[in-house]
Amino acid sequence: MGRLLLVSNRLPVSIKRQESGQPALVRSSGGLIAGLGPVHDGGDGEWIGSLGGGPVPGDVKNELAKQRLVAVEVDANDARRHYEGYSNNVLWPLFHYLLNHVTFDACDFEAYRRVNERFAEVIASRVKPGDRIWVHDYHLLLLPAMLRERLPDVPIGFFLHIPFPSSEVVRMLPRREEILRGLAGANLIGVHTYNFARHLVSSFRRIIGLEFNDDGTRESGQPSRIGVFPLGVDVAMHQGLASAPERARRVDELRKEFRHRKIVLGVDRLDYTKGIPLKIRAFRCLLETRPEWRDKAVLVQLAVPSRDGIAAYKALREEVEGMVGAANGALEQNGLVPVHYLYRSVSPEELSAMYLAADVMLVTPVRDGMNLVIKEYVASRLDDSGVAVLSEFAGAASGFGEALLHNPWDVEGTAASIERALTMTSDEAAHRMKSLRHRVATSDVHWWVGRFLAAFDTATSELNDFLAGTSEAKTYVSREWVRGCVDRCAKARRAVLALDYDGTLVELARTPEEARPTPRLLEVLNALCIDPGLEVVVVSGREHTSLGEFFADVPVHLIAEHGLSYRAAGASAWEHLFPDLDLGWRDAVRAILDDFVLRSKGAFVERKSASLAWHYRNVEPGFGSWQARELVNHLNEAFAKSPLEVVRGHKVIEVRPLGVNKGRALKTVMQRFGELDFIFAAGDDRTDEDLFATLPVSAYAVKIGRAVSLAPHRLATPAQLINVLKLIARARAALGQ
Ligand code: ADQ
C-alpha cells in the first residue's frame, strides 16, 4: 500500500527563529496532533498544511522537508478571509447552532474556495501512485471534490472534528450546495457521533439529493461511506504525566494555593461554544443559593487564548472577565475569591497537575464536536477519584453515561449537578470514575486512528472495484458481445426476455400517454412471440390499463405496476400476483400527492390499481427536484409505520405496497415457465435494479443509458435494444427454434 498524506489547515508545527537566525520547528499541541503525530512519525507519508498566510522562506521549507511536512503557501489576505471569515464566522458558529454569530461575506467564501484550490494544487503535485489522502476539518470542506476531480482514482478520507448539525440548520448555510458537494467527493467521511452521521445523511438527501443507505454507504455514484469514529486522547501519555513524582508535589502546592477548598476545574479554549459564561453563572448560582459552599469550593477556570483576531472572541473575553470580576466582588468571603480565572495556555505537566488537583471537572459547552478535556481529566485520575460534570451537548456525552450529564442552559440545574458532584460519596465517585476510565482507555486516540484507517481500507477497495467496474460498465457493449448474446439466445431451448417499457422499449416522453409503442417495436415483439421457445415479458411500473391497451394485439406477458398485476400472454384477464396487500394508506398518500401537484406547476398524479405516482418531469427542473426530495422525506417520515415503499424513478416518485417489486414479480412469473436456459433482461431506471438484483449471474442484464447499475452490460438507447431484439428474432427464426 502507498503512503498516507495527512492534510490539515495548519501544519502541526510553528516556526521559531533561533539566535543564529536558523529556523526551528516547534510541535504544536492539541488532541488532533497527539492523535495524528504517531501516524505521521511512524509512516512515510507527508503532512500538508499551511503556516498561516504569506510566502514561506526556503530555509523553512528545507526544515519542514526533514520532517516530511509540506507547506501550502497561501496569499495572506486569502488566508485571513478563509480562516477568520468563512471558516470561523460562518461554518464554526453555524455548525455549533449559534446562528447569531454567523456573519457571511461573499468575498470570504471566494477566499475559502481559493485556499481549498491551493491545497488541491499542492496535494495533486505531491501525490504518487498508491497514495491515500486524509483531510481534516471544516476549513477544507471543498477539498475532497476538488481532489476527486484532479485525482479520480486516489482514495480520499475526511474527518470532521466539529459537530454536523441538523439539516434544518445546514439549510441556512450560505453556499450549502457547494459545501456539501465538496464534502461528497470523499470516499470516507468520519464524524464523532451517530447523531452527526444521521444529520449528514439527511443533509445530503434533502439539500443535494444524494442518497445513502442505512449502513452509511452511498447509494449510487462513486463509492463513499459515512462512519462514526469518536476521537480519544493519548491515554498512555496522560497516565505518564499523572504518575510522575513531581506531579504530586505540584498538586500539593495547588491545593494549598486554593486554601484546601474543593476545586471545581474548567479548562477550555476561550470560545463561545464552550459555555464559559453559563458555567460562571451556574457556579455563582450555587454559592448564592447555598452560601455554605462559599468558603469550601472554588471555581478555577483556565482559558486558552483563541482566535483573538475575531470580534466575537474579543467580546467574549470582555464578557467573561466582567462576569468573573462581578462574581468575585459579590461573593468574596474572608479573603477567599470564588472564581480563579487564568487566561493562558499552560504546559502539559501543569495541566496534568490541575486535573489531579481538581475534585470536580466542569465541562459545559453549548455544543462541542467531542471535547477532549473531559477525557484527559478521566485519563489522569489514576486513583479513580474525582467527578466529571459534563454538558449533554458535547459529543463525548454519548459515551459518558457515568458522568453527571447536564443541560448548561439550565443554570440552576447545572448548579445542582455541581453540588451533587461536591457531595458525592467517594465510593460512588470511584465506581463511576472506574468505568469511565476503562472506556476512555479502551477507546483512546490510537484506537480511533486504527478504526478510521480500517474503514479507509474498505473504502479504498470499494473505490478500486468501482473504478475497475465502471471503466467496463460505462462503455456500451461491443458488436462481439451482441453477437455472442444473440447466438446464445438463438441456441436456447427455453428463453425469456424481460423488458422494462418506458425508457427501455420506448423513449421517455413528456407524458405517459405520449410514450406509445412504435410500429417497429410492435413488429419486433410480434416476431419474437411467434417463437414457442421464447417468453417475452414486459415488466413495467405502469398501471395495467395502459399496458393492456398498448399490447392488446401482441401476445407478450405483461407485468404491471412493478409486479402488482399480471396478464399471461394471450390471456385477456389480469390477475393479482400478490393478493392480500394492505392498501389502507392510499387515500392519505393521495391527498399529499395532490397537495404537491398544487404547489408545483406541471406536476401530476398517476393513479394505478394499487400504487400512486407523482410525476414532475414538466416542473421547472431545480424546483421539481427540490419538491420531489421534500415529498420523499415527508412520506418516509409520515408513513414510516405503513406497509408502503417510496421509490424514485426517472422524474417520478412512486408510492407502492411494500415488498412488491419487479424482481419478485418476474421470479414468480418465471416459475410458471418451467426450466429456462437463457435469461435476458433490460431496464433503465432504479426500479429495474430490483429486477437485476434477482437475476442469476448467468443472465444477460442490460442497462439502458449511463446511470450506475447492477447490470453488467449497457446499451445507449431503446433503439439499440430493439436492434438486438430484432437480431434475436432473426437468428432464432433462422435456426428454426
Ligand atoms: P477544541 O474546540 O479545541 O477541539 P477540545 O476537544 O476540548 O476542543 O480540545 C482542547 C485541547 O486544548 C485539549 O487537548 C486541552 O488539553 C487543550 N487545552 C485547553 N485549555 C488549555 C490550556 N489552558 N492550556 C493548555 N492546553 C489547553 C475541536 C472540537 C472538539 C473536538 C476536537 C478534536 O471543537 O469538539 O473534541 O477538535 O476533534
Side-chain angles (χ1 to χ4, degrees):
M1 184 144 308
R3 307 172 305 163
L4 182 64
L5 305 185
L6 298 175
V7 183
S8 58
N9 181 42
R10 299 299 288 264
L11 280 172
V13 291
S14 54
I15 311 295
K16 291 259 163 352
R17 288 275 170 194
Q18 292 165 315
E19 270 174 26
S20 61
Q22 279 292 310
L25 306 189
V26 184
R27 218 2 116 92
S28 319
S29 55
L32 170 73
I33 294 167
L36 296 180
V39 180
H40 179 68
D41 297 343
D44 56 356
E46 295 179 334
W47 192 323
I48 299 169
S50 81
L51 287 170
V56 178
D59 57 351
V60 170
K61 282 187 189 160
N62 292 341
E63 258 335 283
L64 292 172
K66 289 182 194 160
Q67 295 189 21
R68 288 177 281 110
L69 301 173
V70 178
V72 178
E73 286 173 275
V74 185
D75 169 80
N77 198 35
D78 273 0
R80 190 184 53 76
R81 281 188 172 274
H82 163 257
Y83 183 73
E84 292 182 4
Y86 193 74
S87 296
N88 283 320
N89 269 334
V90 179
L91 290 169
W92 175 268
L94 191 129
F95 277 35
H96 287 88
Y97 295 75
L98 295 169
L99 301 169
N100 54 333
H101 285 292
V102 174
T103 38
F104 175 65
D105 175 339
C107 296
D108 289 347
F109 184 75
E110 294 308 315
Y112 183 88
R113 190 195 282 128
R114 278 194 297 275
V115 169
N116 275 255
E117 285 279 359
R118 275 297 295 142
F119 270 77
E121 283 162 18
V122 173
I123 296 164
S125 73
R126 310 291 310 182
V127 161
K128 294 185 188 159
D131 283 355
R132 297 192 291 175
I133 304 168
W134 187 5
V135 180
H136 287 268
D137 231 3
Y138 65 102
H139 318 90
L140 299 171
L141 289 170
L142 297 177
L143 186 56
M146 290 173 173
L147 290 171
R148 172 59 59 235
E149 211 177 305
R150 289 173 169 82
L151 309 163
D153 53 359
V154 177
I156 300 165
F158 185 93
F159 191 82
L160 183 70
H161 290 264
I162 66 174
F164 195 90
S166 144
S167 64
E168 278 306 303
V169 170
V170 181
R171 279 181 66 196
M172 292 182 242
L173 175 69
R175 308 294 186 267
R176 59 197 181 182
E177 284 91 356
E178 198 170 338
I179 288 293
L180 290 172
R181 293 219 163 82
L183 184 55
N187 301 105
L188 174 62
I189 305 170
V191 289
H192 287 300
T193 73
Y194 284 96
N195 262 340
F196 302 160
R198 203 162 35 78
H199 292 154
L200 194 51
V201 167
S202 62
S203 290
F204 276 138
R205 174 181 302 134
R206 289 175 184 209
I207 298 168
I208 59 168
L210 200 68
E211 296 285 344
F212 282 77
N213 299 311
D214 290 349
D215 65 352
T217 55
R218 183 161 152 180
E219 220 179 68
S220 61
Q222 67 137 0
S224 177
R225 41 175 67 232
I226 294 170
V228 176
F229 310 97
L231 178 56
V233 295
D234 189 340
V235 173
M237 184 194 83
H238 287 286
Q239 285 177 345
L241 283 169
S243 55
E246 57 273 30
R247 226 35 25 84
R249 273 198 299 279
R250 178 62 188 145
V251 171
D252 282 346
E253 277 171 26
L254 285 168
R255 291 220 172 99
K256 236 174 262 157
E257 201 179 310
F258 295 113
R259 312 262 290 270
H260 298 285
R261 286 174 288 173
K262 291 236 181 196
I263 297 175
V264 178
L265 178 66
V267 175
D268 305 271
R269 267 190 316 102
L270 188 62
D271 192 292
Y272 50 76
T273 62
K274 304 290 181 184
I276 301 171
L278 289 171
K279 180 166 14 186
I280 296 170
R281 279 179 60 196
F283 191 71
R284 191 172 167 169
C285 170
L286 172 73
L287 299 194
E288 279 169 350
T289 53
R290 304 253 187 244
E292 63 272 25
W293 285 109
R294 286 196 191 177
D295 55 1
K296 290 199 194 73
V298 57
L299 171 65
V300 179
Q301 175 64 49
L302 197 54
V304 202
S306 180
R307 302 177 196 169
D308 39 20
I310 298 175
Y313 288 76
K314 288 187 196 135
L316 175 69
R317 185 179 168 191
E318 280 166 25
E319 183 190 356
V320 168
E321 287 174 1
M323 289 180 78
V324 170
N328 286 343
L331 299 168
E332 184 179 337
Q333 189 167 296
N334 308 330
L336 295 174
V337 176
V339 183
H340 270 260
Y341 173 72
L342 299 140
Y343 177 63
R344 62 183 159 91
S345 184
V346 299
S347 67
E349 291 77 14
E350 178 68 2
L351 190 55
S352 175
M354 296 190 91
Y355 285 146
L356 289 172
D359 300 280
V360 176
M361 186 77 216
L362 182 55
V363 178
T364 57
V366 292
R367 290 281 163 183
D368 215 338
M370 173 51 61
N371 195 284
L372 298 179
V373 164
I374 196 73
K375 294 193 171 182
E376 293 169 3
Y377 175 70
V378 168
S380 309
R381 306 298 299 195
L382 302 179
D383 62 357
D384 291 332
S385 65
V387 183
V389 179
L390 176 63
S391 158
E392 63 188 58
F393 296 105
S398 58
F400 261 63
E402 298 83 355
L404 299 184
L405 296 177
H406 70 279
N407 170 7
W409 298 97
D410 175 0
V411 169
E412 289 74 20
T414 309
S417 295
I418 303 171
E419 189 177 29
R420 166 120 170 71
L422 289 169
T423 53
M424 190 180 283
T425 64
S426 52
D427 276 358
E428 184 183 348
H431 188 68
R432 288 169 179 263
M433 186 56 77
K434 201 179 169 79
S435 14
L436 285 176
R437 224 154 63 76
H438 177 71
R439 200 159 321 120
V440 166
T442 47
S443 46
D444 71 350
V445 68
H446 306 293
W447 170 87
W448 174 76
V449 169
R451 248 173 73 129
F452 188 91
L453 292 183
F456 204 9
D457 285 346
T458 311
T460 301
S461 40
E462 283 167 352
L463 176 66
N464 292 339
D465 291 350
F466 173 77
L467 293 170
T470 40
S471 44
E472 194 185 298
K474 278 271 164 68
T475 48
Y476 297 116
V477 296
S478 63
R479 274 163 202 257
E480 289 68 47
W481 182 88
V482 173
R483 227 172 284 146
C485 167
V486 170
D487 191 47
R488 275 282 318 278
C489 182
K491 291 181 181 142
R493 214 177 44 77
R494 297 273 300 145
V496 67
L497 308 178
L499 310 165
D500 165 51
Y501 181 72
D502 291 280
T504 300
L505 290 176
V506 294
E507 292 286 353
L508 292 169
R510 266 177 4 102
T511 63
E513 299 78 52
E514 284 173 43
R516 304 188 65 83
T518 59
R520 183 161 174 259
L521 170 64
L522 294 174
E523 187 190 321
V524 174
L525 292 180
N526 270 316
L528 291 166
C529 291
I530 295 169
D531 186 334
L534 201 57
E535 306 289 352
V536 181
V537 191
V538 174
V539 192
S540 172
R542 282 185 178 241
E543 39 70 55
H544 69 283
T545 41
S546 73
L547 274 189
E549 187 219 321
F550 288 166
F551 297 104
D553 304 321
V554 190
V556 286
H557 300 271
L558 294 176
I559 293 178
E561 291 188 45
H562 303 110
L564 282 168
S565 37
Y566 170 63
R567 191 196 77 179
S572 55
W574 287 84
E575 56 181 291
H576 279 297
L577 273 181
F578 307 103
D580 311 326
L581 289 170
D582 172 1
L583 299 176
W585 44 267
R586 265 204 320 170
D587 288 346
V589 169
R590 166 83 206 215
I592 292 166
L593 299 190
D594 285 343
D595 199 35
F596 272 73
V597 168
L598 288 180
R599 312 173 178 192
S600 330
K601 190 163 164 282
F604 60 94
V605 175
E606 187 187 356
R607 190 180 197 140
K608 309 182 182 184
S609 65
S611 58
L612 296 163
W614 185 79
H615 291 269
Y616 64 99
R617 71 176 74 95
N618 302 330
V619 181
E620 189 271 307
F623 185 67
S625 324
W626 181 47
Q627 290 289 305
R629 287 199 291 271
E630 280 266 321
L631 175 60
V632 171
N633 290 331
H634 180 71
L635 292 172
N636 278 332
E637 276 157 33
F639 292 88
K641 292 191 181 129
S642 299
L644 60 76
E645 209 169 6
V646 183
V647 182
R648 287 157 168 257
H650 184 73
K651 304 265 181 203
V652 58
I653 304 298
E654 292 249 6
V655 189
R656 64 190 194 194
L658 190 68
V660 175
N661 64 49
K662 289 181 173 180
R664 205 174 143 206
L666 180 68
K667 222 168 154 183
T668 311
V669 167
M670 285 202 306
Q671 277 160 5
R672 305 185 182 186
F673 298 156
E675 203 172 312
L676 295 161
D677 50 359
F678 179 87
I679 300 173
F680 179 98
D684 74 309
D685 78 8
R686 284 170 55 154
T687 64
D688 300 311
E689 296 300 310
D690 294 328
L691 190 94
F692 298 141
T694 52
L695 295 176
V697 274
S698 58
Y700 285 73
V702 180
K703 173 85 173 177
I704 310 297
R706 294 192 62 84
V708 174
S709 172
L710 290 173
H713 310 295
R714 212 173 270 275
L715 286 165
T717 59
Q720 290 189 353
L721 174 66
I722 292 171
N723 268 340
V724 174
L725 298 177
K726 205 166 170 179
L727 292 172
I728 289 179
R730 224 185 269 159
R732 284 187 65 94
L735 281 179
Q737 288 279 356

